[in-house]
Amino acid sequence: TSLYLSMNRIDKLDYDFSVNMSNLKTLLLDSNQIEFVDVSAFANLDQLEHLSLSGNRITSLKENTFSNLFHLKNLNLAGNFLESVQLSLFSNLFNLDSLDLSSNRLKTIEDFTLTSLTYLTNLRLNNNYEFFLHPKSLDGLSCIVNVFVSFEMLKSEENRKCLLKSLNAQLDKKV
């Protein structure tokens, strides 16, 4: 089951947003005006596989916002105003394959923030101005295949080292 609510001028997702939607597999909320997402907005969506919140006005997300989305495979948070990512925001997303954090206002991803995303193959970080990767930001990404970054990110020696270390670790595992 899919629900497409893109371009509907939705400005917030309250705690009761997902009531009676337990069988939903795909939820698209792109290009709305969402600024606030309640920590339990997705609590009833335990079968959800695809969630897109791109092109909204989200500035922050609380730690357990996605904690019940055990089957989630694709999460798109591109084109928002996110400035940081909480350490345990993605902690229960064990099946996540693709994460898009591009075109936000992210300054950094702290060490071990993505550690639980062991099946992640695609990570988009491009178009985040003045972005800095901590040395262990990408640790634990044992299946990563594609990391999309901006040229600006590669100007930092620390960012280059972190990316190369992570990608080399994946190559060593495959050889």
Side-chain angles (χ1 to χ4, degrees):
T1 310
S2 300
L3 182 59
Y4 303 96
L5 293 172
S6 299
M7 296 188 291
N8 274 292
R9 297 186 190 165
I10 298 167
D11 61 353
K12 64 183 174 181
L13 300 176
D14 287 325
Y15 68 93
D16 60 350
F17 172 77
S18 62
V19 172
N20 298 323
M21 293 192 216
S22 60
N23 292 326
L24 208 57
K25 299 272 187 194
T26 300
L27 177 59
L28 303 181
L29 291 158
D30 303 322
S31 303
N32 279 292
Q33 298 167 1
I34 299 168
E35 293 181 23
F36 173 77
V37 179
D38 188 87
V39 70
S40 15
F42 306 117
N44 298 310
L45 301 177
D46 58 354
Q47 298 302 309
L48 198 66
E49 294 179 1
H50 308 281
L51 175 60
S52 186
L53 291 160
S54 71
N56 282 289
R57 299 175 181 173
I58 301 167
T59 56
S60 66
L61 292 164
K62 298 223 185 302
E63 286 188 22
N64 295 314
T65 302
F66 306 118
S67 65
N68 199 43
L69 304 181
F70 304 110
H71 299 286
L72 198 65
K73 294 178 182 174
N74 299 298
L75 177 57
N76 186 349
L77 296 170
N80 280 286
F81 301 123
L82 291 171
E83 294 180 0
S84 65
V85 175
Q86 299 294 325
L87 182 62
S88 63
L89 182 63
F90 308 119
S91 63
N92 288 337
L93 303 181
F94 304 113
N95 293 303
L96 199 66
D97 175 68
S98 179
L99 175 60
D100 192 341
L101 295 169
S102 64
S103 301
N104 276 285
R105 296 179 178 173
L106 290 174
K107 300 278 188 215
T108 188
I109 292 181
E110 298 291 333
D111 287 344
F112 309 112
T113 300
L114 305 175
T115 301
S116 66
L117 304 179
T118 54
Y119 290 106
L120 193 71
T121 59
N122 296 293
L123 176 61
R124 293 182 176 273
L125 298 171
N126 47 309
N127 300 323
N128 283 293
Y129 186 68
E130 294 181 10
F131 188 81
F132 174 74
L133 281 170
H134 285 269
K136 298 185 181 202
S137 295
L138 303 179
D139 278 15
L141 300 181
S142 56
C143 293
I144 199 74
V145 175
N146 299 304
V147 180
F148 298 88
V149 297
S150 300
F151 180 71
E152 286 295 317
M153 270 183 72
L154 296 176
K155 288 182 179 178
S156 158
E157 185 176 346
E158 292 85 9
N159 284 348
R160 286 194 308 271
K161 283 181 182 177
C162 183
L163 283 167
L164 290 173
K165 178 184 148 216
S166 179
L167 295 174
N168 282 334
Q170 300 321 310
L171 287 173
D172 290 345
K173 289 178 185 174
K174 292 177 180 164
V175 174

